[in-house]
Amino acid sequence: MKQIFLNGKQGSVLKLFFSGYGQDPEPFMPLCGKTSVAMVYDYEDMNFNEDEYADFEKIELIAWSIGVMVSSYILRDSQLLLKIRKRIAVNGTPDGIAFDASAAGLPCKLWHQTYENMDELGKERFIKNMLGAKTDYYLSHLPKRTVASCKHELLALYEFRKAQSGSFDFHFDEAYIGTKDKIFPPLILRKAFDSGKTSVIKGAWPHFDQDLF
């Protein structure tokens, strides 16, 4: 995976953002405020260097889409948990990819079919499904990712989740659920956060909406 500071290192507070599949900094850099934002993306490998964030005293975790799954598994034994003051999930679930009926994630067969069928048309279809009525912002800040890179990432995420030993409880304080999400269906999102441990915020968002960020 790649790790980058979107707006430099400033202050003692960090927003640690685990992005979704097929992304790069381009759509998110203009959305940064004054707080330091570190973005994790491109999960073609799962090597994570937590030392990048050793200088920060407080961290807010924001995970979006499949980044909710990645952050759950990557951070569950991390020393960074001692610094994380808030955990926010946006249109994604800790299971991410479901290999059994009990998991709250996208069916593993569907994920693998997406990998097998990934080409230029498949990439365009994914972007279309990810957006709602407001497309101008994202389309003017498209990630510069190749089809080959996206395909490798899909397989890497599939193999990563397959290698994990079932579900586990990684607690999120807040979960944002878009009722117009065509990537992670709201039914799956609700299933993931129905234990009462997470404050659920629902809105008429598609999978990506700049207002959420």
Side-chain angles (χ1 to χ4, degrees), residues 41-160:
Y41 68 103
D42 191 355
Y43 307 116
E44 293 183 65
D45 70 65
M46 289 296 165
N47 295 317
F48 177 71
N49 180 13
E50 63 181 65
D51 293 338
E52 290 276 347
Y53 317 117
D55 295 337
F56 293 95
E57 296 176 7
K58 297 179 181 179
I59 297 174
E60 181 179 282
L61 171 64
I62 303 169
W64 170 55
S65 189
I66 204 66
V68 178
M69 177 194 82
V70 176
S71 64
S72 299
Y73 283 100
I74 292 294
L75 296 177
R76 59 177 169 170
D77 298 318
S78 171
Q79 291 299 309
L80 293 179
L81 290 178
L82 299 174
K83 299 183 177 185
I84 294 177
R85 299 295 183 263
K86 193 173 187 180
R87 309 179 194 184
I88 301 172
V90 180
N91 286 341
T93 73
D95 286 324
I97 304 170
F99 282 86
D100 60 70
S102 65
L106 299 177
C108 60
K109 289 184 179 179
L110 174 62
W111 189 277
H112 202 266
Q113 285 172 2
T114 304
Y115 157 73
E116 291 179 327
N117 297 324
M118 177 50 60
D119 53 17
E120 198 64 53
L121 184 61
K123 183 182 173 187
E124 292 177 5
R125 188 184 302 115
F126 175 80
I127 292 172
K128 181 180 179 181
N129 288 335
M130 194 175 68
L131 305 177
K134 298 183 293 183
T135 62
D136 290 351
Y137 173 81
Y138 191 87
L139 294 180
S140 64
H141 296 86
L142 279 173
K144 298 176 176 62
R145 295 285 301 276
T146 65
V147 169
S149 174
C150 290
K151 187 163 187 170
H152 292 156
E153 185 180 15
L154 282 168
L155 182 59
L157 286 163
Y158 177 89
E159 295 294 349
F160 173 77

